[in-house]
Amino acid sequence: MERPSPAVQDYLKAVYRLSEDVDGPVTSSQVAESLGVTAPSASNMLRKLEQMGYIEGGGRQGVTLTEAGRAGALEVVRLHRLIETFLASTLGMSWDEVHREAEVLEHHVSGALAERIAEALGHPERDPHGDPIPTQAGALPADALSVLWDLPEGTAAVVRRCDDRDPELLRFLAGVGLVPDAEVEVASRGPFGGPLTVTVSGGPAVEVPPDAARAVHVEL
Ligand SMILES: [Zn+2]
């Protein structure tokens, strides 16, 4: 099957990511917001995706990916995460730099080159942010993770994934040691939605602002 255009791939990826976040159908305004486009252009494109057989549903209920849509989304997610891993482990780029490059390269790397990269890297299972890399067959293990921000005081957990989209946030997380495989314990929670105070791998207490704590996904 021919690979969809970059614009179609970006929409498939956005619908895929949003439907994971909300755990259900996504509306065109959610898609518009996530891609930074106007609501009319998002509805337009979503209608095209429906005609192409990538999504179904629509209207107020929102849309879901068809099997072909999910396969298309996972293919570009695989390329994105393989490229991030390659840039980090082979070129030594830091985890806050690789996402932006991968956003561009994911549309231009051929499937054959991606498989050479996967092979050279020993078929990695996770990218530098801890996100699982879908297999070539489109399989992706389900994670049962919690958001750090949601943990009650006294809870201990292991960091598994960090949201990859905000470089400044990633630099902050790296600075306090909140990276995949770090052990974290919630010491206290500030009043009025204030910062979460945590210890990382038994070190001194650090304050984590709400937006940062919401970007960290942990396993209890
Ligand atoms: Zn990324």
Side-chain angles (χ1 to χ4, degrees):
M1 205 176 75
E2 205 182 311
R3 205 193 282 180
S5 72
V8 169
Q9 288 181 326
D10 282 339
Y11 270 80
L12 290 178
K13 221 170 47 159
V15 174
Y16 173 75
R17 200 184 51 224
L18 288 165
S19 61
E20 274 211 315
D21 285 352
V22 302
D23 204 15
V26 301
T27 63
S28 61
S29 55
Q30 286 172 320
V31 174
E33 197 194 324
S34 126
L35 289 173
V37 299
T38 64
S41 61
S43 333
N44 242 329
M45 190 62 165
L46 289 175
R47 259 196 303 276
K48 279 188 203 154
L49 292 189
E50 192 180 350
Q51 285 159 9
M52 295 165 107
Y54 289 133
I55 59 171
E56 54 199 0
R60 292 237 170 106
Q61 264 69 56
V63 300
T64 51
L65 291 170
T66 62
E67 212 172 299
R70 186 179 151 81
L74 285 176
E75 188 188 1
V76 63
V77 168
R78 173 172 169 79
L79 290 180
H80 180 102
R81 293 179 180 168
L82 276 173
I83 292 164
E84 286 186 336
T85 309
F86 173 74
L87 295 176
S89 64
T90 307
L91 300 188
M93 288 175 72
S94 63
W95 77 333
D96 56 290
E97 295 175 298
V98 296
H99 175 75
R100 235 186 30 208
E101 300 291 346
E103 283 288 284
V104 178
L105 289 170
E106 66 188 15
H107 302 301
H108 304 286
V109 166
S110 72
L113 177 54
E115 294 325 307
R116 292 287 294 271
I117 291 174
E119 213 179 297
L121 296 175
H123 299 282
E125 290 177 1
R126 301 208 164 243
D127 76 11
H129 312 106
D131 292 322
I133 300 174
T135 65
Q136 201 184 355
L140 187 63
D143 275 334
L145 300 182
S146 309
V147 175
L148 176 60
W149 176 249
D150 295 336
L151 300 190
E153 282 181 10
T155 313
V158 178
V159 176
R160 291 296 179 217
R161 305 170 66 167
C162 301
D163 290 348
D164 66 359
R165 278 165 283 164
D166 183 342
E168 209 178 320
L169 187 89
L170 285 171
R171 285 192 290 274
F172 169 81
L173 294 177
V176 297
L178 286 171
V179 297
D181 298 331
E183 289 171 22
V184 60
E185 188 169 341
V186 179
S188 66
R189 178 179 276 281
F192 314 117
L196 209 60
T197 304
V198 304
T199 57
V200 184
S201 307
V206 289
E207 285 191 351
V208 185
D211 283 350
R214 275 191 277 265
V216 177
H217 304 265
V218 299
E219 189 177 327
L220 298 178

